[in-house]
Amino acid sequence: MTRASLPRRAVVVGFIAGLVVGRAPAAPARGLRTVDVVGPRLTLGEVMAHLSGEVASLDLGPVPAPGRSRLLRRGEVEAALAAADYVGIQRIPVAVRIRRKMVSLSSKAIASLVADHLVVKNGVTMTAVRAPARRRVPAGYDVVRATVPRVPRRAGTWRTAVTLHFHRHAERIARLSIPATLEVTPAAAVPDVEKGHPLVLVVRRGQIEVRVRATAGAAADIGERLPVSLRPSGRIVPARLTRKDQAVAL
């Protein structure tokens, strides 16, 4: 049967099917190796474990964000080697899949992190934490901080969320929000500094430090940001309260 004898609809359907097939992306090669990397940057040594020395530390670019992946092809590796004047490197893989290495935290581990790292003002205590069954975060974190919003200006039960901040060196790599219950005493409900309280504002610029008289522009607890009014000009600058009598300009 010739093409001319086919029904018109069959010809149209076949044409559309051909377009779809022609535009479909090529399937990934089977057995593609995956490299899980700790940290934000990829080095050649993590892709080619048989290398050592300076060439192994050659930077191959950023590692994808958690939950994503990146296909690193041989051409990219060869280009990086050529740019760094390395020649004769053998056994370069055709392609590898790059991911951020993750670790799983149990409910007990999350609750322990909250208890160990939460810092709150005197008079505030945590009475319950409702940690999720399990969460995954990037591996390699070396600093964990646990923070809560501003303490309410009333005593009693405070239901809020503790935020766990995971850092690797200077990079924040993850945050988890954990429901928790805290108790606030009457003394803790009172701010460390009331609006209008006299302060010394510390202004640092490089190696130079200047101290000027100022006034708190809002109620705040130690560690919180607040507007500060300079005396006698009245100029308002943002600052962070470091003591009941001192703030540092931001």
Side-chain angles (χ1 to χ4, degrees):
M1 182 180 293
T2 66
R3 180 186 179 98
S5 65
L6 289 172
R8 180 180 179 85
R9 183 175 178 181
V11 172
V12 173
V13 171
F15 176 72
I16 294 174
L19 288 178
V20 172
V21 171
R23 292 178 182 176
R30 292 185 178 181
L32 185 67
R33 183 165 63 95
T34 297
V35 176
D36 290 326
V37 181
V38 175
R41 305 293 298 184
L42 175 68
T43 63
L44 184 59
E46 290 167 307
V47 176
M48 302 171 64
H50 63 281
L51 297 178
S52 61
E54 187 176 318
V55 67
S57 64
L58 180 66
D59 187 276
L60 296 180
V63 175
R68 299 186 178 184
S69 66
R70 165 192 169 197
L71 189 64
L72 178 71
R73 301 183 184 276
R74 178 188 290 166
E76 295 177 70
V77 177
E78 292 174 336
L81 286 167
D85 296 326
Y86 287 109
V87 296
I89 303 299
Q90 303 296 319
R91 295 161 54 188
I92 300 175
V94 174
V96 292
R97 180 75 61 187
I98 307 299
R99 300 185 307 191
R100 192 71 179 256
K101 186 176 182 180
M102 307 290 286
V103 294
S104 182
L105 298 177
S106 66
S107 176
K108 183 178 180 180
I110 293 172
S112 294
L113 288 173
V114 172
D116 292 345
H117 297 283
L118 179 62
V119 178
V120 290
K121 66 183 299 186
N122 291 335
V124 179
T125 56
M126 187 172 65
T127 58
V129 57
R130 295 179 291 282
R134 192 166 294 277
R135 284 291 185 271
R136 286 167 57 82
V137 298
Y141 59 85
D142 49 19
V143 175
V144 178
R145 294 191 302 112
T147 62
V148 290
R150 174 178 290 182
V151 176
R153 302 306 183 204
R154 58 176 178 80
T157 301
W158 177 30
R159 291 181 176 84
T160 186
V162 176
T163 301
L164 284 174
H165 307 260
F166 296 83
H167 293 257
R168 175 176 169 80
H169 308 319
E171 179 201 18
R172 187 176 66 187
I173 58 178
R175 286 190 301 180
L176 293 180
S177 182
I178 313 299
T181 302
L182 298 93
E183 287 294 325
V184 181
T185 64
V190 177
D192 291 331
V193 163
E194 296 280 6
K195 181 178 180 179
H197 187 80
L199 297 170
V200 173
L201 179 67
V202 179
V203 181
R204 298 188 179 108
R205 295 294 183 268
Q207 300 297 320
I208 300 175
E209 180 176 298
V210 178
R211 295 170 178 262
V212 295
R213 291 187 303 159
T215 302
D221 288 325
I222 292 174
E224 292 181 344
R225 295 174 60 127
L226 77 164
V228 167
S229 175
L230 302 184
R231 295 159 59 187
S233 69
R235 179 187 171 192
I236 303 297
V237 297
R240 187 176 302 279
L241 190 66
T242 55
R243 299 196 317 239
K244 289 187 176 184
D245 60 349
Q246 178 178 290
V248 175
L250 298 176

